[in-house]
Amino acid sequence: MMNHSSLDNTMTFTSYGSFRPINYFFFTLTLLVYLLSIFSNVFLMLVIYFEASLHKPMYIFLFNLAVNGLIGSSTAWPKIMENLLSETQKISFLACVVQIFWCHFYIASAYATFSVMAYDRYVSICKPLQYHSIMTPGKVKTLLTAANVVPLVSISILAYLISTLPLCNYTLQNLFCDVMTLHNLSCVKSALANLYSLCLATGLVGFPCIIVLLSYAVILNVSLKASKDAQKKALSTCSPHLITFINFGVATLFFAIYNRYSSFLPREVYVLITADWFAIPPLLNPIIYGIRTREIRKCVVKTVRKKERFFRNY
């Protein structure tokens, strides 16, 4: 039985295979998606920051989601790109634990942000006259703090528990480090780590999903009783959030299914799920909100026109 006594042990990824010329193509494609994700999220953040008309709870939460998108993009893709151009794909155990921490923080914080955004939409649509008295600046700060601090503390404990596991194998059959893989490589199955992971999945994924579903069930019930114009306004306000939440939720479900039945599913499925989790939401969320949200769309057009006038005058 092997037992790691140091976080400096080296682990090897086996899913990349030997280096091939086509890796340059995959590297270029990954780099392009990564840079576009960074640009779209930073651009959205700048628009929200500099436009006073967007300094509202809905867009403050969206700003947090964009920051989360930057974390998600940077969690896996730089290491994946490095591995694509390497003959040997290795990572230290410490770096693997750090990657697990940021990966799960990205996921947990995203779900928490989706839940507070759903709550904000519920208050806005179902209690419009009380909106400003409920969604006060103090309430917004409290929700934002909870959406980040609770996942931060919870995932830190998970990362610590994973770092104490004695490993019998140092080969990773995935594109990046994740909890289930390391737990399966451990010599001793930790009941505490298993129980804590289950509690985290329930509290940081299941509970936010319930909040989102309940919020939209009430919103749907109220909208059906409202006028056509009110229904159209509610749909335009909620559709970007629902699209991004459903995409993220489906990716999470597929990843959970893959981890449980990985021996029966092809490796390509895992690659697609990884791309959906770490590339599509960070890339598409700013685009979806930019296209589907009228106020952001107007501010983006105004910003682009200002830049055009600046360059013409220059």
Side-chain angles (χ1 to χ4, degrees), residues 67-226:
V67 173
N68 184 262
L70 290 177
I71 294 173
S73 294
S74 301
T75 294
W77 294 121
K79 185 59 182 176
I80 289 176
M81 288 188 287
E82 178 188 333
N83 288 338
L84 285 171
L85 297 183
S86 302
E87 288 289 348
T88 57
Q89 299 85 27
K90 297 182 180 295
I91 187 172
S92 70
F93 184 73
L94 174 59
C96 193
V97 172
V98 171
Q99 190 177 65
I100 285 174
F101 169 80
W102 286 114
C103 164
H104 287 78
F105 172 78
Y106 157 66
I107 296 165
S109 179
Y111 275 109
T113 306
F114 283 134
S115 66
V116 297
M117 292 175 78
Y119 174 72
D120 174 72
R121 292 301 84 207
Y122 156 74
V123 177
S124 175
I125 294 171
C126 301
K127 300 183 178 181
L129 299 179
Q130 301 170 265
Y131 180 79
H132 293 292
S133 62
I134 295 175
M135 299 301 293
T136 61
K139 182 75 164 288
V140 172
K141 289 178 182 178
T142 300
L143 291 173
L144 274 179
T145 301
N148 290 284
V149 173
V150 172
L152 186 70
V153 174
S154 303
I155 302 303
S156 296
I157 296 172
L158 176 65
Y160 170 74
L161 291 175
I162 293 299
S163 70
T164 62
L165 292 177
L167 301 186
C168 288
N169 194 330
Y170 288 90
T171 58
L172 298 164
Q173 297 182 352
N174 292 337
L175 297 178
F176 65 99
C177 298
D178 66 274
V179 169
M180 287 302 300
T181 299
L182 284 192
H183 196 268
N184 290 336
L185 295 178
S186 64
C187 306
V188 180
K189 305 306 178 186
S190 171
L192 177 60
N194 263 338
L195 178 62
Y196 188 75
S197 297
L198 180 61
C199 291
L200 277 190
T202 303
L204 300 182
V205 177
F207 184 64
C209 286
I210 291 173
I211 292 177
V212 173
L213 294 176
L214 286 178
S215 297
Y216 278 101
V218 177
I219 289 172
L220 178 61
N221 183 52
V222 171
S223 298
L224 290 176
K225 300 175 184 177

Side-chain angles (χ1 to χ4, degrees), residues 16 26-27 30-31 33-34 37 71-84 99 175-176 271 273-280 282:
Y16 293 88
F26 290 126
F27 172 85
T30 304
L31 178 61
V33 171
Y34 179 52
S37 297
I71 294 173
S73 294
S74 301
T75 294
W77 294 121
K79 185 59 182 176
I80 289 176
M81 288 188 287
E82 178 188 333
N83 288 338
L84 285 171
Q99 190 177 65
L175 297 178
F176 65 99
V271 175
I273 293 172
T274 302
D276 188 21
W277 239 3
F278 293 103
I280 296 179

